[in-house]
Amino acid sequence: MNRIKKIVCLLIVTCMFQVVAHAQKSPLSNGEKLVYTASYKMSGFLTDLAQVSMETSEVKTSSNKLYHFKCRASTFRKYDFFFKIRDVYESYVSTSSLLPALYKRDIQEGSYKKKMKYIYNQKKKIIKSEQIKRRRDGTDWVVNENFNFSNGAMDVISTLYNVRNLPIQNAAVGDSKVFNIIFDKEEIPITVKYAGKSTIDAGNLGKKECHKLQIITNGDFLKSATLWMTADTNKVPVKAEFTIPIGSGMLQLTNASGLAN
């Protein structure tokens, strides 16, 4: 069903934000892995539907060293008969600037399949995109297109790790920041407002003091969202709650390993 597809996509997106201040020690680590349970409110109760994982590694090219960020979203097998999701999002970014060089998206949602690739030209602010879709008869077609992007705009995954790399310890309640996220060749502005601190269950990390962030958008899909991120140098996203026109749900960290600090 479309609602579960949108839920898992939203859960990935709502993990991505924090308010920025000044540069500090990077929380990014080669070998970091974060695992979440994605839940959706059904018949008045939160039901665990899927697992979302995020992994960080380093790769070397002939001229550069890059971070490889990989996010997977999969419905639990008992729900596969209902609507099977096997999505993979990947971003390759410079280890020095954290600007993206390559983005790949491979989604398999029910009978729907789609692949997307962005190659960034950071100097000219042009993205070369390649999109592969599958027809109902099982054949594929390819759409190639170049489009411009604004300074600082990034795909979903590289945005997540860029904002994690910026501190929020100096933010005051009410401070806000606008981010532009590139999704399906469009830029989506998101306003993130700092809402203070609270103690949150952080899976195997135990109870953690976290920054609380409110996510505000004028989009048609997301009505509201709140994100909690650990108030330490790792800045691990541990929980996200959201409301959309067709319901509400939550993303909860279950396991974190390979942290930088």
Side-chain angles (χ1 to χ4, degrees):
M1 294 177 65
N2 284 336
R3 71 168 56 185
I4 296 182
K5 177 175 68 175
K6 292 179 179 179
I7 290 163
V8 174
C9 179
L10 177 61
L11 290 170
I12 295 170
V13 173
T14 55
C15 268
M16 311 191 299
F17 310 102
Q18 70 187 58
V19 181
V20 299
H22 308 288
Q24 69 164 14
K25 185 177 181 181
S26 173
L28 305 184
S29 170
N30 181 22
E32 179 190 79
K33 184 175 182 179
L34 308 176
V35 181
Y36 301 85
T37 294
S39 306
Y40 182 67
K41 187 168 285 188
M42 304 174 68
S43 301
F45 299 95
L46 279 174
T47 301
D48 296 342
L49 295 177
Q51 182 180 87
V52 176
S53 66
M54 296 187 291
E55 300 178 54
T56 302
S57 60
E58 290 184 2
V59 297
K60 292 183 179 180
T61 68
S62 58
S63 57
N64 288 307
K65 185 167 70 172
L66 304 172
Y67 279 127
H68 176 206
F69 303 136
K70 189 170 187 176
C71 179
R72 295 185 178 94
S74 302
T75 44
F76 295 124
R77 293 197 179 277
K78 64 181 178 180
Y79 292 107
D80 282 350
F81 77 95
F82 181 56
F83 191 84
K84 183 178 180 179
I85 293 175
R86 297 292 187 271
D87 291 352
V88 180
Y89 297 77
E90 299 177 84
S91 190
Y92 295 79
V93 309
S94 165
T95 56
S96 56
S97 69
L98 294 187
L99 292 176
L102 174 66
Y103 166 75
K104 296 192 292 184
R105 177 183 171 205
D106 185 349
I107 59 175
Q108 300 181 45
E109 300 165 348
S111 60
Y112 179 75
K113 294 184 178 183
K114 177 181 175 182
K115 291 184 178 181
M116 178 77 77
K117 180 170 72 175
Y118 294 163
I119 299 174
Y120 290 83
N121 186 321
Q122 290 291 345
K123 291 183 179 180
K124 296 182 178 180
K125 293 294 181 288
I126 295 175
I127 288 175
K128 179 181 179 180
S129 72
E130 178 184 271
Q131 180 174 301
I132 302 174
K133 286 188 175 183
R134 178 155 296 177
R135 301 182 179 92
R136 291 185 177 181
D137 63 6
T139 60
D140 295 337
W141 83 96
V142 179
V143 178
N144 294 308
E145 181 181 356
N146 293 350
F147 63 95
N148 298 98
F149 64 100
S150 63
N151 189 41
M154 295 177 241
D155 56 78
V156 168
I157 303 303
S158 58
T159 300
L160 164 61
Y161 288 92
N162 266 266
V163 296
R164 277 188 66 194
N165 194 51
L166 297 171
I168 58 173
Q169 72 273 13
N170 297 325
V173 173
D175 285 352
S176 63
K177 176 73 177 181
V178 177
F179 299 99
N180 288 318
I181 299 167
I182 303 169
F183 195 78
D184 281 343
K185 296 180 286 190
E186 294 184 5
E187 290 190 22
I188 304 170
I190 301 288
T191 300
V192 179
K193 183 179 289 187
Y194 187 68
K197 293 181 180 179
S198 56
T199 300
I200 297 294
D201 180 10
N204 68 314
L205 301 179
K207 297 287 185 179
K208 299 286 288 185
E209 183 180 46
C210 295
H211 297 293
K212 182 181 179 181
L213 308 169
Q214 295 176 333
I215 301 170
I216 304 165
T217 178
N218 293 324
D220 295 331
F221 181 52
L222 177 64
K223 294 177 65 176
S224 64
T226 304
L227 174 69
W228 289 266
M229 186 173 295
T230 57
D232 56 23
T233 53
N234 290 313
K235 295 188 290 297
V236 177
V238 300
K239 182 179 179 181
E241 295 179 346
F242 66 90
T243 301
I244 56 179
I246 59 173
S248 60
M250 182 176 71
L251 188 76
Q252 176 67 56
L253 179 73
T254 58
N255 189 270
S257 59
L259 300 180
N261 308 294

